[in-house]
Amino acid sequence: MRLKFTKMHGLGNDFVMVDGITQRVKLSPEKVRQIADRHTGIGCDQLLLVEAPRNPDVDFRYRIYNADGSEVENCGNGARCFARFVRDRRLTSKEHILVETAAGILELKVQEKDQVSVDMGAPVLEPSAVPFQADIQAESYPLDVNGETYNVGAVSMGNPHAVLLVDDVSKAPVDSLGAAIESHPRFPARVNVGFLQIEERGKARLRVFERGVGETRACGTGACAAMVSARLRGLVDDEVQIALPGGTLTIHWPGPGEPVTMTGPTASVYHGQIVL
C-alpha cells in the first residue's frame, strides 16, 4: 500500500495526517506502529485519519491512533491540525468545521495566523464515566502509587486524565510516576497523566505523560483537563494560559456543564509518501 501523508505538529506534539477520503486506506495496529517508529518509519506521537462522516450533519470523521497502534477517543492538538489539514488539502473551504470522533462531535474554528479554536465539549467529571474507580465525585481523590499517596483530579475530555499539582514541573517525575499512574487499576481504561504547576490565576505550566506514548511536548486534551481540575479546586480563573514544553495554549472554561474552548497554533512540516 502506497500512502500519501502530511507531517504536522501542534506545539511539537507531532502527527502523521492521512487523507482517507481521496485514497484507500487500511490500517492495522502493526502498520500504525511501523509508520510511527521514529527510526524506521515516519515518526509521530499519533496518526490521524480523515474519513467521510457517518453522521450526515457533520463534515468529516476523525480517527486517532497512538504510536503503539491503539485507537483513542480524542486529541486536542490533533484536532487543530486536522482543521488546517482538511483546508490545505482542499477537502473543505469552511472556517467552521464539524467533526465526528469516537468521543462525540468536535467544533473547529480556523482563525488568522494558523490559530485554531476547538470547542472540546463539556468535561466529564462523574468517576464512572471518566472511567475512574471512586465512590463519589470529588474535586480530587487520594491515589496510592508505589507506597505513596497522591491527590489527583480525574477528568475526561473524551479521553481520561489524571491531574497532579506540583510545585515545580521541571522537577516532576513525569516518566516514572506518569507510567505508574497510567496503568493504575483505578483507571480501567488507562489514563493520561498531567503534572500541573500553578504560577498565577491566569498562568500555569504543564507536562503530560500520554497513555501509549509517554511524555509529549504538548497535549491539548491534557491542557483542558488540567485547567478544569485547577478551576474546580478554585486555583484559576475562567481563562488560563497553559505553557507546555512545546508552547502555549489558551484554555477557557466558564464552569461545570459548559464546554471547554482551546485555542493554539498549528504547523505543517512536509508532505510525503510511504510504502507499507
Side-chain angles (χ1 to χ4, degrees):
M1 179 172 62
R2 183 181 299 272
L3 201 62
K4 295 180 180 179
F5 68 90
T6 298
K7 183 70 180 285
M8 300 186 72
H9 75 87
L11 302 183
N13 188 189
D14 63 334
F15 310 101
V16 169
M17 312 292 301
V18 177
D19 172 7
I21 294 177
T22 64
Q23 62 182 342
R24 293 184 61 185
V25 178
K26 187 175 182 180
L27 293 173
S28 64
E30 181 183 16
K31 284 187 170 63
V32 172
R33 289 193 293 269
Q34 179 184 347
I35 291 168
D37 191 289
R38 297 189 183 277
H39 300 286
T40 59
I42 302 166
C44 63
D45 293 322
Q46 280 101 12
L47 182 148
L48 308 182
L49 178 61
V50 182
E51 294 184 332
R54 296 175 298 183
N55 182 341
D57 297 324
V58 302
D59 300 299
F60 299 100
R61 184 182 183 203
Y62 163 38
R63 299 179 70 181
I64 307 146
Y65 298 89
N66 277 342
D68 65 358
S70 60
E71 186 170 359
V72 294
E73 306 91 341
N74 205 353
C75 175
N77 286 320
R80 297 199 320 278
C81 289
F82 185 102
R84 179 172 175 183
F85 176 74
V86 294
R87 283 170 54 84
D88 287 353
R89 297 286 295 177
R90 298 184 179 179
L91 298 173
T92 184
S93 60
K94 294 181 178 180
E95 295 181 351
H96 181 193
I97 305 166
L98 294 178
V99 180
E100 174 188 357
T101 76
I105 305 300
L106 287 184
E107 183 179 347
L108 316 177
K109 295 181 180 179
V110 179
Q111 302 178 356
E112 296 180 350
K113 298 180 180 180
D114 297 327
Q115 295 279 316
V116 177
S117 288
V118 184
D119 180 339
M120 300 293 291
V124 174
L125 305 173
E126 171 60 38
S128 63
V130 171
F132 175 66
Q133 294 177 359
D135 293 331
I136 59 172
Q137 183 177 320
E139 294 174 359
S140 64
Y141 307 86
L143 187 72
D144 294 329
V145 185
N146 297 333
E148 300 286 339
T149 300
Y150 300 88
N151 283 319
V152 303
V155 180
S156 174
M157 292 302 310
N159 53 355
H161 291 268
V163 181
L164 291 81
L165 297 177
V166 297
D167 293 328
D168 185 350
V169 73
S170 67
K171 298 178 180 178
V174 174
D175 289 336
S176 58
L177 184 55
I181 294 176
E182 177 202 19
S183 57
H184 196 284
R186 290 180 67 188
F187 290 98
R190 296 190 299 159
V191 70
N192 303 285
V193 187
F195 296 79
L196 179 67
Q197 174 188 343
I198 305 294
E199 295 184 314
E200 54 189 72
R201 293 194 65 85
K203 291 178 64 178
R205 301 177 64 82
L206 178 70
R207 292 169 65 189
V208 180
F209 186 98
E210 292 195 45
R211 60 177 177 171
V213 179
E215 185 177 4
T216 58
R217 290 184 56 78
C219 175
T221 56
C224 294
M227 188 277 195
V228 167
S229 183
R231 184 148 169 73
L232 289 172
R233 302 184 212 194
L235 301 175
V236 297
D237 296 327
D238 63 3
E239 186 165 292
V240 183
Q241 303 286 321
I242 295 189
L244 298 115
T248 300
L249 293 170
T250 300
I251 311 297
H252 178 81
W253 185 53
E258 297 296 324
V260 180
T261 303
M262 173 188 61
T263 303
T266 63
S268 183
V269 183
Y270 64 89
H271 308 286
Q273 297 184 52
I274 185 169
V275 177
L276 301 176

